[in-house]
Amino acid sequence: MLFLWLYMFYSCAGSCAGLAARGSPAPPRAAPPLLPGEPGEESSLEEQRAAPDAGSPISSFFNGSGTKRLPQAIIIGVKKGGTRALLEFLRVHPDVRAVGAEPHFFDRNYERGLAWYRDLMPRTLEGQITMEKTPSYFVTKEAPARVSSMCGATKLIVVVRDPVTRAISDYTQTLSKRPDIPTFESLTFKNRTTGLIDTSWSAIQIGIYAKHLENWLLHFPLRQLLFVSGERLISDPAGELGRVQDFLGLKRIISDKHFYFNKTKGFPCLKKAEGSSKPHCLGKTKGRTHPDIDQEVVQRLRDFYRPFNMKFYQMTGQDFGWD
C-alpha cells in the first residue's frame, strides 16, 4: 500500500506540464520552414536520443535524483536579444534547472512528441522550476498553439532589444560564418533607391515585435508573458533578474553581488557560474564587434521600425526607449 500511495502522490504532483507529459501528445505536424537567413548559433539537439525514455516518477523518487518535467517557463525570444545571458544568469538560482542547448521542439522537432521533449529536461526536485530557451519560438507561427496545447499555464519570457541593433548583431553573427555574404545595406532593401525595406529577410522580420506578439496573445494572456530589456540586462542585470525572479515566483536570490562588468567584452559577467567557484563570461561568439553600417541606412531602419515599436510599447505597457 505504501508503494501504491507514493506512486499516486508523485504521479499527481506538479503542474499541468507533468500531466501533459503522461498524456497523448498533440498530433504530429511537419516542422515549419525556417525564416530566411542563418539558423541560431546555439548547440543543436539532433545528436541526442531519438527515442527517449519518458521516465517514471516513482523510480525517480527512489533514486533521489528528482523527476523530469516539462518546462513551466520558456524563454521564447528573441534571437540576438540577450537570451543566452538571461539563461546563464538564471541558472545561478538554486530553484531553477534549465536545458543548456536549445531544444527547438516547438519549431523544428515537434513531430518527435512530448516524451522526447521531456526527456531533454534536467531532473528537478519539488519546488524547482524547469526551463528552456529557444529564441526562434517567438517568430514561429505554430509555436504559440503548440506551447498552449502542452500547458496553457506556461510562463513565457521574451528578451527584446532595439530592433536596429538586433538586426546588425544578427548580420554580424552570419558574417562571422559566411564572410562572402552581401553587405548589410544591400540585404536591407528590396530597392535602395525607393527605400523599400526587405521584410522577408529574417534579420529585419524578427524585429517587428508587435506582429509576432499578436500571434502569442491569441493563445496566452498578457500576464503570462514577461518582457525583458536586452539593454537593461547589460546596464542593470540585477534589476532585470529581480523582475524575472518575481515573475517566476522565486525568492530574490540573484542580486548585484553576483555580477561584475567586463570592460573588454562590454557586458556583465558572473562572479561565480552555476556549479563553479570561478568567474564566468559568455563565450567569444558574444559581444562581437559590429561592422560599420551606413548611417543613412540605420536611420531608414529606425524610421521603418518606429510605428511597430510604438505599437509594441502600447501592447506591453512598457517603453523600451528605442526611439
Side-chain angles (χ1 to χ4, degrees):
M1 285 297 293
L2 174 61
F3 289 126
L4 178 61
W5 181 86
L6 286 171
Y7 178 78
M8 291 177 66
F9 178 83
Y10 281 92
S11 293
C12 295
S15 66
C16 60
L19 295 176
R22 291 185 290 276
S24 300
R29 283 181 283 179
L34 297 177
L35 291 169
E38 281 291 296
E41 66 183 27
E42 306 299 347
S43 302
S44 168
L45 292 173
E46 289 300 314
E47 70 277 8
Q48 296 201 22
R49 296 176 294 277
D53 179 9
S56 164
I58 194 165
S59 63
S60 297
F61 170 74
F62 281 115
N63 68 29
S65 60
T67 303
K68 290 193 174 188
R69 298 181 175 88
L70 291 169
Q72 297 102 317
I74 305 175
I75 300 173
I76 60 173
V78 299
K79 180 184 178 186
K80 307 309 295 180
T83 59
R84 172 55 58 183
L86 178 60
L87 186 72
E88 293 300 309
F89 295 164
L90 274 174
R91 291 172 78 176
V92 172
H93 201 293
D95 290 334
V96 171
R97 299 282 286 125
V99 181
E102 296 176 359
H104 283 281
F105 175 65
F106 295 104
D107 57 352
R108 302 179 193 171
N109 294 304
Y110 193 63
E111 73 283 353
R112 298 191 181 209
L114 287 171
W116 178 88
Y117 183 47
R118 186 176 66 164
D119 195 62
L120 299 178
M121 300 300 137
R123 295 186 181 276
T124 56
L125 302 175
E126 195 66 32
Q128 290 183 317
I129 291 177
T130 303
M131 292 187 67
E132 70 116 318
K133 78 106 177 170
T134 304
S136 52
Y137 290 163
F138 189 61
V139 298
T140 299
K141 186 177 180 181
E142 294 85 356
R146 291 173 174 180
V147 176
S148 178
S149 177
M150 175 188 75
C151 180
T154 305
K155 293 185 177 182
L156 309 170
I157 300 174
V158 190
V159 188
V160 288
R161 179 185 184 187
D162 181 331
V164 177
T165 310
R166 197 222 65 81
I168 297 172
S169 181
D170 199 334
Y171 173 80
T172 303
Q173 175 181 306
T174 305
L175 184 66
S176 70
K177 300 175 182 179
R178 294 168 48 197
D180 59 337
I181 62 171
T183 64
F184 180 87
E185 290 84 351
S186 63
L187 290 169
T188 297
F189 299 102
K190 285 185 177 180
N191 186 318
R192 187 165 181 178
T193 302
T194 62
L196 184 63
I197 304 294
D198 188 356
T199 57
S200 68
W201 184 29
S202 65
I204 300 296
Q205 189 189 78
I206 290 171
I208 308 175
Y209 303 139
K211 172 186 173 183
H212 305 303
L213 179 56
E214 285 177 341
N215 195 26
W216 285 90
L217 293 180
L218 293 175
H219 300 274
F220 290 90
L222 188 63
R223 65 178 180 275
Q224 276 178 233
L225 288 92
L226 179 71
F227 302 92
V228 173
S229 165
E231 287 82 12
R232 287 197 293 270
L233 200 56
I234 294 174
S235 63
D236 181 19
E240 285 300 278
L241 266 292
R243 295 179 59 242
V244 176
Q245 289 171 96
D246 290 347
F247 175 70
L248 296 175
L250 298 169
K251 182 179 179 181
R252 282 201 178 197
I253 290 178
I254 306 171
S255 64
D256 282 322
K257 68 181 181 181
H258 288 90
F259 302 98
Y260 73 94
F261 191 82
N262 187 306
K263 293 182 180 179
T264 302
K265 287 184 171 291
F267 51 73
C269 300
L270 290 167
K271 291 181 179 178
K272 293 181 181 180
E274 178 196 27
S276 172
S277 60
K278 298 179 180 180
H280 172 67
C281 278
L282 298 178
K284 63 181 180 180
T285 62
K286 306 300 180 182
R288 296 186 183 95
T289 300
H290 292 179
D292 291 329
I293 305 297
D294 187 327
Q295 287 305 300
E296 179 189 352
V297 174
V298 172
Q299 188 56 52
R300 288 196 180 188
L301 272 178
R302 293 208 175 281
D303 294 340
F304 166 77
Y305 278 121
R306 187 169 293 110
F308 296 110
N309 291 344
M310 293 299 105
K311 184 175 181 181
F312 185 66
Y313 296 172
Q314 293 173 352
M315 294 172 75
T316 61
Q318 294 179 235
D319 185 337
F320 291 90
W322 297 324
D323 298 282

